[in-house]
Amino acid sequence: MLDAAAVRRWCRLAAEALGRTRSEIDALNVFPVPDGDTGTNLHLTVIAAADALDELPGGADPAETWRALARGALLGARGNSGVILSQVLRGLADVLGPLEAPPDGAAFAGALRHASGLARGAVEHPVEGTILSVVAEAAASCTGSGLPDACRAAAGGARRALRRTTGQLDVLARSGVVDAGAAGLCVVLDALAAVVTEEYPERYEVPGRAAGTAPIVPERAEPRGPGFEVMYLLDAPDDAVGALRATLDALGDSLVVVGGDGLWNVHVHVDDAGAAIEAGMAAGRPHRIRVSHLHAAPGEPHAPHAGRAVIAVTAADGLAALFEGCGARVVRREPGAMPPLAVLAEAILAAGDEVAVLPNEPEVLALAEAAAERARDAGARIAVVPTKASVQGMAALAVHDPLRRFGEDVIEMTRAAGATRFGHLEVAGQEAVTSVGLCQPGDVLGLIEGDVATIGAGAGVGEVARSVLDRMLSGGGELVTLITGAHAPAGLAEALEEHLRRDHPDVEVGVYDGGQERYPLLIGVE
C-alpha cells in the first residue's frame, strides 16, 4: 500500500538512501556545471520533505500527508536537480493526495505521468539525458494493475533510462558518467519500490565513472557559462510568473521555476545575481535568497571554501566558554532578551564565507534565519542548524568537521542535533495552568522539549531532575549531558550521576557548569 504511513516511510528511507549515496552522486556531477553537489542537494531536498512529514500529527490523512511532502520539498529544494525533484513530488501529490483509497497501479502510473509533465514544464529549456528523461521513462514503464508491479516497473524503467543518459549528452560521454540528478531520482524510486513491495535492497546502486575517462573540470569544460547560481522562494500571484520566466531566461540559463498557488521556488544561473533578485522583487516577494559561485578554482572542483565557521548564540558565561572550547564563535545575548538582528548578521558575515549558525533557543531560531538571509545577500553560504536548546548545539558541535564539504557538515550537525532530546528545570514564578496541572510560585517544573512534564509541588530540584531523566531515558539513550546553572543546589550533579550509575548503568554521562541564570539544570539525551 501507499497510504499515509507508507509515504512517511518512503520519504525517510529515500533520505537515508541519498545520505548513503550522495558522495557517489556528487562525483558524477558534470552537468550543467561540474560543481559536485547534486547528491548533497537532493539529500537536503528530501530531508526537508521528511522533516515536514515528521511535524504532522500521527493521524494525518493521505491528503494532508501528500501536501506536507510536496510543500516541504518545495521549501527545502536545493540546486537544479533538487528543484526538479520537488516538482516531481508535487505532481505525485496532486494526483494521489485527493484519492479516497490508497492508489492501485493505474493510479500511480497516472500520477507519475502527471509528475513528469509538471517537471518538464518547469524547466525553461529541457535537455534530454537528464533527470527529465529518466522520470519520463519511469512513467512510460509504469504498467500493471497492481501497485507493487507498477512501482517495480517504474524503478526498472528509470534505471534503464539512467544508463542511456551517457550517450544523450556529450559532456556525460566525455566524462564517462551517467547524469547525477537522474541517478539520485533512481535512488528515490528504488526506495519507493522497497517500501511498497517490502523488498529492501542491501545497497542502492549508483553507476561509477567508466574506465579510462577522467572528471571534467571547469578549465576543460565547454563554455563556462554564468558565474552565479541564484535561488529564492517567491510569494507571487500565478499570473506574474510568466513575465518572471521571460526576464530570467534572458539573463541566464538553467532556469527552473516550480510551485503554484502563490508560492514558488526559483532557480537560475546568471552573471548578474542582483538583476535576478530584482526580477523576483518585480513579480512578488522573494525570500530565503541564496547566491552561490558556480566555478571552483581550476583543478579543484571540490575544494572547501576558506573561512568555515560555526556561530553559537547564548546568554550564559559558562555556556559561552563551552561553545568556544568546542571551536564556535559566540554571539552573546542578555538573559531574557534577543540579540539585535544587525549584530547577529554582522557576526555571521565576519565569521567567514561558509557559516553554520546554532540558535540554541526556539525564540532565537527565527531571528537567526533572518540574520542568515541578510548575510546571504552579501554572497556568504549560511546554514541555520535548528537547535532549540544548548545541549543540541553541543551535540551538533561534537560532530562538526571543517574538512568535510559544507553541505555534508551541515547535514551531520543537523542529524546530531535532531537525535538529542532536551529538557530543563525551572522554578515557577507565578501561578499558572500547565499541560499537567496547576503550578504555584516556587514549584520546580520539569520540562521535556518545551512542555511541562512534571510539577514538583514541595519537591526539591534533585527529585524533579531524577523524574525528568527517567522519563527522557524511558525510550533509550546512550549519552546524557547535564549542564548546571548558576542557582543549582550544591551536589546536584553528583547526585544525578549516582542515580544514573545505579538505575541506568549503560548510559555515559557528561557534566558541565553552564552558569545559566534561569534554569538550574539543562539536560540532553542522545
Side-chain angles (χ1 to χ4, degrees):
M1 291 178 63
L2 192 55
D3 57 8
V7 171
R8 289 174 184 259
R9 291 196 300 274
W10 165 43
C11 198
R12 185 52 67 187
L13 179 62
E16 293 173 357
L18 286 169
R20 293 197 295 269
T21 58
R22 68 175 184 272
S23 295
E24 298 171 78
I25 297 171
D26 284 343
L28 302 174
N29 183 194
V30 298
F31 179 83
V33 290
D35 49 0
D37 62 359
T38 294
T40 299
N41 286 336
L42 289 170
H43 187 208
L44 290 169
T45 301
V46 177
I47 282 178
D51 286 347
L53 292 179
D54 286 346
E55 293 176 3
L56 287 177
D61 63 27
E64 293 175 295
T65 302
W66 281 107
R67 278 197 302 272
L69 170 77
R71 183 175 176 84
L74 175 68
L75 294 176
R78 302 292 187 95
N80 189 62
S81 294
V83 173
I84 294 172
L85 177 62
S86 75
Q87 192 76 335
V88 171
L89 297 177
R90 182 194 172 194
L92 294 175
D94 285 348
V95 176
L96 301 180
L99 296 181
E100 294 183 0
D104 59 11
F108 176 72
L112 200 52
R113 287 193 296 272
H114 175 65
S116 175
L118 273 187
R120 186 169 291 269
V123 179
E124 196 67 19
H125 301 287
V127 175
E128 298 305 323
T130 64
I131 188 174
L132 297 175
S133 306
V134 171
V135 70
E137 181 63 25
S141 303
C142 190
T143 57
S145 59
L147 182 63
D149 288 341
C151 289
R152 287 193 195 97
R159 287 286 172 186
R160 292 190 297 273
L162 175 65
R163 291 191 290 270
R164 291 197 296 270
T165 61
T166 305
Q168 291 176 290
L169 271 176
D170 182 59
V171 66
L172 300 181
R174 286 188 288 113
S175 198
V177 296
V178 297
D179 180 69
L185 177 70
C186 286
V187 171
V188 172
L189 292 177
D190 285 347
L192 175 62
V195 166
V196 170
T197 63
E198 296 189 347
E199 298 168 359
Y200 295 91
E202 291 186 7
R203 63 182 300 272
Y204 292 86
E205 179 192 357
V206 175
R209 190 180 303 276
T213 57
I216 297 247
V217 297
E219 62 182 1
R220 290 170 52 195
E222 292 186 17
R224 292 169 60 95
F228 297 96
E229 177 186 61
V230 178
M231 292 188 66
Y232 49 81
L233 296 178
L234 180 69
D235 296 330
D238 294 7
D239 57 11
V241 173
L244 174 65
R245 282 179 176 273
T247 301
L248 294 178
D249 189 36
L251 288 173
D253 58 29
S254 296
L255 174 60
V256 186
V257 181
V258 301
D261 301 323
L263 178 62
W264 306 85
N265 194 316
V266 178
H267 170 281
V268 67
H269 294 173
V270 294
D271 280 321
D272 189 346
I277 296 168
E278 288 172 1
M281 294 173 66
R285 185 181 74 88
H287 50 108
R288 293 198 193 177
I289 300 168
R290 294 193 295 271
V291 179
S292 305
H293 291 276
L294 286 172
H295 303 301
E300 297 185 22
H302 304 308
H305 289 215
R308 177 81 59 83
V310 178
I311 285 182
V313 181
T314 186
D317 292 338
L319 287 170
L322 286 173
F323 284 123
E324 288 172 346
C326 294
R329 302 187 183 199
V330 172
V331 173
R332 297 294 298 271
R333 64 185 182 89
E334 295 298 322
M338 303 284 278
L341 175 62
V343 170
L344 184 52
E346 288 171 9
I348 293 171
L349 280 174
D353 55 9
E354 289 184 334
V355 183
V357 184
L358 308 176
N360 300 324
E361 291 283 352
E363 61 267 23
V364 180
L365 184 57
L367 181 79
E369 291 283 5
E373 292 221 8
R374 181 175 294 189
R376 289 186 192 110
D377 291 344
R381 295 184 69 192
I382 316 296
V384 178
V385 181
T387 54
K388 298 179 180 178
S390 295
V391 289
Q392 287 190 322
M394 291 179 62
L397 269 173
V399 301
H400 167 55
D401 183 355
L403 299 181
R404 273 195 297 247
R405 295 185 59 224
F406 183 61
E408 294 178 0
D409 198 28
V410 169
I411 288 170
E412 293 305 321
M413 294 173 73
T414 302
R415 192 191 309 278
T420 302
R421 299 191 71 198
F422 59 92
H424 70 266
L425 271 58
E426 62 180 285
V427 178
Q430 60 185 13
E431 183 178 277
V433 177
T434 75
S435 56
V436 295
L438 185 68
C439 70
Q440 301 293 334
D443 287 346
V444 180
L445 308 180
L447 290 87
I448 299 176
E449 301 197 349
D451 292 327
V452 177
T454 183
I455 299 173
V461 169
E463 183 178 340
V464 176
R466 286 192 294 273
S467 174
V468 171
L469 273 171
D470 290 341
R471 290 190 185 206
M472 293 179 70
L473 287 167
S474 63
E478 299 175 354
L479 172 64
V480 170
T481 300
L482 304 174
I483 302 177
T484 56
H487 305 295
L492 173 65
E494 292 80 359
L496 294 176
E497 284 187 281
E498 177 59 31
H499 171 72
L500 290 169
R501 277 194 296 268
R502 184 180 63 252
D503 290 7
H504 305 277
D506 296 330
V507 171
E508 183 181 348
V509 185
V511 177
Y512 306 92
D513 179 12
Q516 65 273 8
E517 288 287 330
R518 181 176 174 186
Y519 307 130
L521 183 69
L522 304 176
I523 303 171
V525 174
E526 298 179 51

